[in-house]
Amino acid sequence: EPEVTQTPSHQVTQMGQEVILRCVPISNHLYFYWYRQILGQKVEFLVSFYNNEISEKSEIFDDQFSVERPDGSNFTLKIRSTKLEDSAMYFCASGGGGNTQYFGPGTRLTVL
Amino acid sequence: AQSVAQPEDQVNVAEGNPLTVKCTYSVSGNPYLFWYVQYPNRGLQFLLKYITGDNLVKGSYGFEAEFNKSQTSFHLKKPSALVSDSALYFCAVRPWGAAGNKLTFGGGTRVLVKP
């Protein structure tokens, strides 16, 4: 069964550094998403991406964040200058034009 | 704005007993409703969804959920819980409409099934 994959599983970085989180969505899906879950809190929407552009973003998704689909398979989330409060589990999800979003296993980002 | 409430942080149930995890929602218009499960160190795994039609929807691993429009609820149920059902369960909603709409999640309910 096709799955969403994410790399790395755990990323440790210093405050102020740039990080890129990578995702490979399910191959025939059209809609791509990033969510995050700060420890002990709700899963929060960050951004959705369709037809090579952002379709919606939350207030969390400020100028420090960007997304890209550099080729036909990868979907990346970049944080330009990480802050302590960016420490969270980041989930990528994809959807095929139906209504269900399928999530990857997540990348745990730790900002020191 | 849409929102989801899961009023119980944790539900404890004995193996073999019925399991219910509660969820209420608020959304403009008709809802699309989802349940996801998260096992330790794993991602969110889709269990089931309500889009339209029969109010009782069946999903993976013997789970089912009942949509109640008047009570704006979508409670998850399993007739006979297993120890392996112990996990974190999330209810989510999105408004009816474009497929790319974001999901809004509840805070999650931890289920502990004791042998």
Side-chain angles (χ1 to χ4, degrees):
Chain A
E1 185 176 329
E3 291 181 333
V4 177
T5 60
Q6 291 185 242
T7 55
S9 57
H10 191 190
Q11 174 91 46
V12 181
T13 190
Q14 296 291 325
M15 191 170 55
Q17 295 296 305
E18 175 184 286
V19 295
I20 297 176
L21 310 183
R22 291 183 167 80
C23 169
V24 179
I26 295 172
S27 63
N28 61 346
H29 281 185
L30 304 174
Y31 300 88
F32 312 108
Y33 311 83
W34 285 100
Y35 292 80
R36 78 173 186 189
Q37 184 182 30
I38 294 172
L39 189 63
Q41 297 186 23
K42 290 185 180 185
V43 177
E44 303 173 289
F45 168 77
L46 291 178
V47 65
S48 58
F49 192 86
Y50 170 71
N51 200 26
N52 285 318
E53 61 182 22
I54 291 174
S55 47
E56 187 178 1
K57 60 183 181 180
S58 73
E59 59 189 24
I60 302 168
F61 194 88
D62 61 21
D63 292 343
Q64 293 300 314
F65 291 87
S66 62
V67 289
E68 199 175 38
R69 188 157 160 81
D71 52 41
S73 60
N74 291 286
F75 181 51
T76 62
L77 174 69
K78 181 192 291 186
I79 309 175
R80 287 188 184 80
S81 178
T82 50
K83 306 182 186 71
L84 295 176
E85 54 264 36
D86 293 329
S87 295
M89 181 74 91
Y90 287 79
F91 293 108
C92 174
S94 68
N99 300 296
T100 304
Q101 295 177 25
Y102 295 91
F103 285 75
T107 293
R108 182 170 298 283
L109 176 65
T110 302
V111 182
L112 302 176
Chain B
Q2 59 221 46
S3 64
V4 176
Q6 293 181 243
E8 300 155 317
D9 290 336
Q10 181 158 324
V11 170
N12 297 318
V13 64
E15 188 173 33
N17 281 2
L19 169 63
T20 298
V21 185
K22 295 179 181 176
C23 170
T24 58
Y25 67 90
S26 172
V27 71
S28 297
N30 294 323
Y32 289 161
L33 293 156
F34 303 82
W35 277 101
Y36 287 85
V37 59
Q38 186 180 31
Y39 296 101
N41 300 315
R42 301 285 297 277
L44 298 168
Q45 189 172 333
F46 169 72
L47 272 181
L48 52 78
K49 65 184 177 185
Y50 171 81
I51 304 300
T52 188
D54 194 349
N55 289 343
L56 184 66
V57 293
K58 294 186 183 296
S60 307
Y61 313 120
F63 283 93
E64 58 189 29
E66 186 165 13
F67 171 62
N68 187 317
K69 187 171 184 177
S70 63
Q71 297 185 2
T72 61
S73 67
F74 189 56
H75 301 330
L76 180 70
K77 300 180 182 183
K78 186 171 183 179
S80 178
L82 301 172
V83 172
S84 57
D85 293 328
S86 298
L88 189 56
Y89 290 80
F90 290 95
C91 181
V93 69
R94 58 162 271 239
W96 198 90
N101 285 353
K102 68 181 181 187
L103 292 174
T104 297
F105 285 86
T109 298
R110 188 167 300 282
V111 169
L112 181 59
V113 182
K114 297 180 180 178

